[in-house]
Amino acid sequence: MKFGILTTTGLLIAIGFASGVKAENVSDVKQLLETKNCSKCDLTGAQLSGMDLSGANLSGANLSGANLRGTNLNEAKLNGVNLTQAKLQSASLIGAKMHGANLEGADLTRANLSLAGLVIASLKNTNLTSANLVGANLESANLAGANLRNARQSVANLGNITLRGGSLAGIDVLGVNLRDANLTGANLTGANLNGSDLTGANLQDANMANVDLKNAALP
């Protein structure tokens, strides 16, 4: 028992020094690691890389600038979470609930967001390069300036999104719903939009070079 306490304490001290987490936040990190229940916790800048946080309740928590590289967040409750500038490269977020989450400027390169719920989430200037978005729901999400270059396979719902100035270059979104999406100035070079619904979409100044629009419903 004492060994377990000492191990946890040592880990928390290491996390504090490595990340610059404020002393008053160490208790929140401890609570998360021990209970996976840390709703509205302050985890600013926390070092949580590679940890198993599957199913954790982090709704409304502040994880801005946190290091979550390779972290398992499958089916985690992340509604309303603040993940601005967070490092989520290769993180697994399968089935994560992220309604209204703020991911502005976060790095989700190669992250697995399959079946994740990102309705009305803010992904402004987010890096989603080579991310897995199979079955993800991004309805009404703000993707202005986001990079979805080579994101994998189909996205279930991108209806009403904003991608002003963002990039879908090379993305395979066969049969995607882009109804009423704002794609002003977006880079769609080489995207596969075969059979997709672009009804009401704004494509002003969008780069449509080599886009596959076969069987697509156009504006």
Side-chain angles (χ1 to χ4, degrees), residues 32-33 36 48-56 70-74:
L32 172 62
L33 297 180
K36 287 190 177 182
L48 299 166
S49 177
M51 295 191 177
D52 181 7
L53 297 176
S54 55
T71 299
N72 183 350
L73 287 159
N74 294 343

Side-chain angles (χ1 to χ4, degrees), residues 57-61 76-82 96-101 117:
N57 179 12
L58 285 159
S59 298
K77 298 177 180 66
L78 297 165
N79 295 322
V81 71
N82 181 0
K97 299 172 179 64
M98 305 176 77
H99 188 106

Side-chain angles (χ1 to χ4, degrees), residues 38-135:
C38 213
S39 177
K40 297 183 179 180
C41 285
D42 184 357
L43 299 162
T44 307
Q47 289 287 332
L48 299 166
S49 177
M51 295 191 177
D52 181 7
L53 297 176
S54 55
N57 179 12
L58 285 159
S59 298
N62 185 356
L63 282 152
S64 59
N67 182 357
L68 293 154
R69 288 188 182 96
T71 299
N72 183 350
L73 287 159
N74 294 343
E75 299 185 351
K77 298 177 180 66
L78 297 165
N79 295 322
V81 71
N82 181 0
L83 283 161
T84 56
Q85 303 296 324
K87 302 171 183 65
L88 287 147
Q89 298 96 320
S90 299
S92 187
L93 293 135
I94 299 171
K97 299 172 179 64
M98 305 176 77
H99 188 106
N102 186 351
L103 290 134
E104 292 186 20
D107 191 343
L108 285 146
T109 302
R110 297 181 302 281
N112 190 346
L113 289 151
S114 178
L115 302 177
L118 286 151
V119 177
I120 68 171
S122 179
L123 293 122
K124 291 174 64 178
N125 302 311
T126 299
N127 188 354
L128 287 154
T129 301
S130 300
N132 182 353
L133 293 162
V134 177

Side-chain angles (χ1 to χ4, degrees), residues 4-215:
I5 294 172
L6 288 172
T7 301
T8 301
T9 303
L11 177 60
L12 292 170
I13 291 172
I15 289 172
F17 281 118
S19 66
V21 175
K22 293 182 291 185
E24 57 267 32
N25 297 354
V26 173
S27 61
D28 283 353
V29 175
K30 182 175 184 290
Q31 178 181 332
L32 172 62
L33 297 180
E34 292 183 350
T35 70
K36 287 190 177 182
N37 188 355
C38 213
S39 177
K40 297 183 179 180
C41 285
D42 184 357
L43 299 162
T44 307
Q47 289 287 332
L48 299 166
S49 177
M51 295 191 177
D52 181 7
L53 297 176
S54 55
N57 179 12
L58 285 159
S59 298
N62 185 356
L63 282 152
S64 59
N67 182 357
L68 293 154
R69 288 188 182 96
T71 299
N72 183 350
L73 287 159
N74 294 343
E75 299 185 351
K77 298 177 180 66
L78 297 165
N79 295 322
V81 71
N82 181 0
L83 283 161
T84 56
Q85 303 296 324
K87 302 171 183 65
L88 287 147
Q89 298 96 320
S90 299
S92 187
L93 293 135
I94 299 171
K97 299 172 179 64
M98 305 176 77
H99 188 106
N102 186 351
L103 290 134
E104 292 186 20
D107 191 343
L108 285 146
T109 302
R110 297 181 302 281
N112 190 346
L113 289 151
S114 178
L115 302 177
L118 286 151
V119 177
I120 68 171
S122 179
L123 293 122
K124 291 174 64 178
N125 302 311
T126 299
N127 188 354
L128 287 154
T129 301
S130 300
N132 182 353
L133 293 162
V134 177
N137 188 349
L138 286 152
E139 184 175 4
S140 300
N142 188 346
L143 285 150
N147 184 2
L148 287 90
R149 183 180 297 273
N150 298 323
R152 282 186 283 157
Q153 306 219 0
S154 62
V155 183
N157 197 343
L158 283 169
N160 296 304
I161 66 157
T162 296
L163 190 69
R164 180 183 292 271
S167 176
L168 284 171
I171 192 172
D172 179 3
V173 284
L174 182 68
V176 72
N177 172 18
L178 283 162
R179 183 183 290 268
D180 298 321
N182 182 357
L183 301 169
T184 305
N187 180 10
L188 302 171
T189 305
N192 180 4
L193 299 177
N194 191 325
S196 297
D197 185 358
L198 289 149
T199 306
N202 185 348
L203 294 165
Q204 183 177 350
D205 299 324
N207 186 344
M208 304 286 289
N210 300 316
V211 175
D212 184 353
L213 292 168
K214 185 178 180 180
N215 300 317

